[in-house]
Amino acid sequence: MNKSIAGMIKISSYNDIVGGEDVSVIEVPLEELHQFKDHPFKVLDDDKMQDIVDSIKKHGVLMPGIVRPGKNGGYEIIAGHRRRRACELAGLETMPVLVKDYTDDEAVIAMVDSNLQREEILPSEKAFAYRMKFEALSHQGKRDDDASSTQVGWKAETASMIGEAQGDSKNQVRRYIRLTELQKELLDLVDGKKLKFNPAVEISYLPKGEQKLLIKVMEEDAVMPSLTQAGQLKKLSQDKAFTKESVHAILTVSVIREKQFTIKREVVERYFEPETTDEEMENVICTLLEEWKRKKR
């Protein structure tokens, strides 16, 4: 490849990523710039992309991308996925980049840090970015000892460090990482602001098969689980009682409540053990009503 050296420069805004060192800017053909493996950030041809395209057409690429040599030739993009797409849409054949020799873990950390600076980030993007950075930092921080307390303390410290730059607590970082355990359909609902964040975190603890069953019931009942309902679903799973009927019962509780129909407590409680809570009684009643409705049909 014929590389055109643009010169030795220092990009101050990239100091944290390239280590503050002098690096060379080269022009690289777009076909030799490859997406980062498992890149968690979406590249959309939306209005913001068009703004980048218009800027490139008028001013050129003002900020070089950051890449590392690819294992199979070409270059792997660390920062600049949207710029590469914009260059393509603008009709350019090359893009200026800074080449940096990163290890795999260093590349992940640099990629995540550069992209988290964006103004708008979807929950799914942040979730997978946090997970990738956490795993990369975990590789770097592995200890020879097997003391669980040491490992737990180090993981908490790592989560705190990851969230600090984004204003998230260590627990919030962990919640975001939990979202990566969701089925894609559920994660899309979170991105679309249809399924709320906290219920989604609770649902993430369900096995994949139970999540798929939940999606089916949600579609049939046209409902989204509340935080309370998500907690009840999680307990169903823990109790090995996660069935279509029990899920229907939990998700239709709110519908039954809206009808303002009440049953006197003394009529119902004689069928239950004294320590049974109102919530548990309600779930049993709804399950039985659901079974009765199906038999009646």
Side-chain angles (χ1 to χ4, degrees):
M1 180 184 65
N2 184 16
K3 299 179 181 179
S4 173
I5 304 296
M8 301 294 291
I9 62 171
K10 183 178 292 184
I11 307 297
S12 61
S13 61
Y14 278 14
N15 277 354
D16 292 337
I17 300 175
V18 300
E21 61 190 72
D22 288 335
V23 290
S24 58
V25 178
I26 64 174
E27 290 284 341
V28 176
L30 297 183
E31 62 266 23
E32 295 191 22
L33 297 175
H34 308 304
Q35 179 173 301
F36 194 93
K37 183 182 178 182
D38 298 326
H39 188 248
F41 300 94
K42 295 179 174 62
V43 178
L44 304 175
D45 291 345
D46 52 13
D47 291 341
K48 291 187 177 181
M49 176 63 73
Q50 189 57 49
D51 290 340
I52 300 174
V53 172
D54 293 341
S55 175
I56 288 175
K57 286 181 177 179
K58 186 175 181 180
H59 305 290
V61 181
L62 299 178
M63 186 68 71
I66 301 174
V67 301
R68 70 168 177 165
K71 295 178 180 178
N72 298 314
Y75 296 89
E76 185 177 37
I77 302 173
I78 305 298
H81 290 80
R82 291 196 298 171
R83 269 166 285 172
R84 185 205 177 282
R85 175 58 177 161
C87 286
E88 186 177 37
L89 294 174
L92 302 184
E93 295 182 355
T94 64
M95 187 177 91
V97 297
L98 309 175
V99 182
K100 177 78 174 178
D101 287 321
Y102 288 106
T103 66
D104 289 345
D105 290 333
E106 288 172 344
V108 167
I109 294 168
M111 180 275 295
V112 170
D113 287 347
S114 64
N115 281 279
L116 283 177
Q117 297 171 10
R118 288 161 49 178
E119 293 179 3
E120 295 181 10
I121 301 176
L122 293 172
S124 64
E125 295 176 323
K126 200 171 188 179
F128 281 101
Y130 277 175
R131 177 174 175 172
M132 291 177 73
K133 185 172 182 179
F134 187 91
E135 290 174 349
L137 289 171
S138 296
H139 296 157
Q140 295 181 347
K142 278 185 177 178
R143 312 271 178 94
D144 293 332
D145 62 87
D146 292 325
S148 60
S149 60
T150 300
Q151 292 294 333
V152 170
W154 186 85
K155 288 181 178 180
E157 181 181 343
T158 302
S160 295
M161 181 173 61
I162 292 172
E164 185 177 356
Q166 300 301 313
D168 288 328
S169 67
K170 65 177 183 292
N171 288 333
Q172 188 70 348
V173 170
R174 288 167 172 165
R175 292 187 190 101
Y176 269 107
I177 293 175
R178 281 300 321 171
L179 293 184
T180 65
E181 302 296 332
L182 286 173
Q183 289 286 305
K184 183 179 183 302
E185 297 90 334
L186 292 168
L187 195 51
D188 287 343
L189 291 173
V190 178
D191 282 344
K193 299 181 179 180
K194 295 179 181 178
L195 177 60
K196 292 184 178 180
F197 182 88
N198 287 329
V201 171
E202 293 298 299
I203 291 170
S204 73
Y205 288 93
L206 302 178
K208 299 300 183 184
E210 292 180 356
Q211 288 189 34
K212 291 179 180 179
L213 177 57
L214 172 60
I215 293 168
K216 184 175 182 180
V217 176
M218 288 167 59
E219 291 173 349
E220 291 178 0
D221 292 346
V223 294
M224 291 290 165
S226 65
L227 179 57
T228 298
Q229 290 170 327
Q232 292 169 348
L233 293 170
K234 182 179 176 182
K235 189 174 187 306
L236 276 181
S237 179
Q238 294 169 341
D239 294 341
K240 309 298 182 183
F242 200 97
T243 65
K244 188 174 182 180
E245 291 73 21
S246 62
V247 174
H248 267 301
I250 286 176
L251 296 186
T252 54
V253 164
S254 59
V255 177
I256 292 174
R257 282 174 178 161
E258 288 174 1
K259 294 182 179 180
Q260 300 296 318
F261 177 77
T262 59
I263 302 176
K264 292 182 179 180
R265 183 180 180 84
E266 57 267 24
V267 174
V268 175
E269 62 184 4
R270 57 192 171 128
Y271 297 102
F272 297 90
E273 296 297 326
E275 64 273 13
T276 306
T277 66
D278 289 352
E279 190 173 286
E280 289 170 338
M281 287 191 286
E282 186 176 57
N283 287 337
V284 170
I285 292 170
C286 289
T287 299
L288 293 173
L289 288 173
E290 192 69 30
E291 292 175 358
W292 172 77
K293 182 173 68 174
R294 275 192 297 278
K295 289 180 180 178
K296 186 177 179 181
R297 287 173 180 168

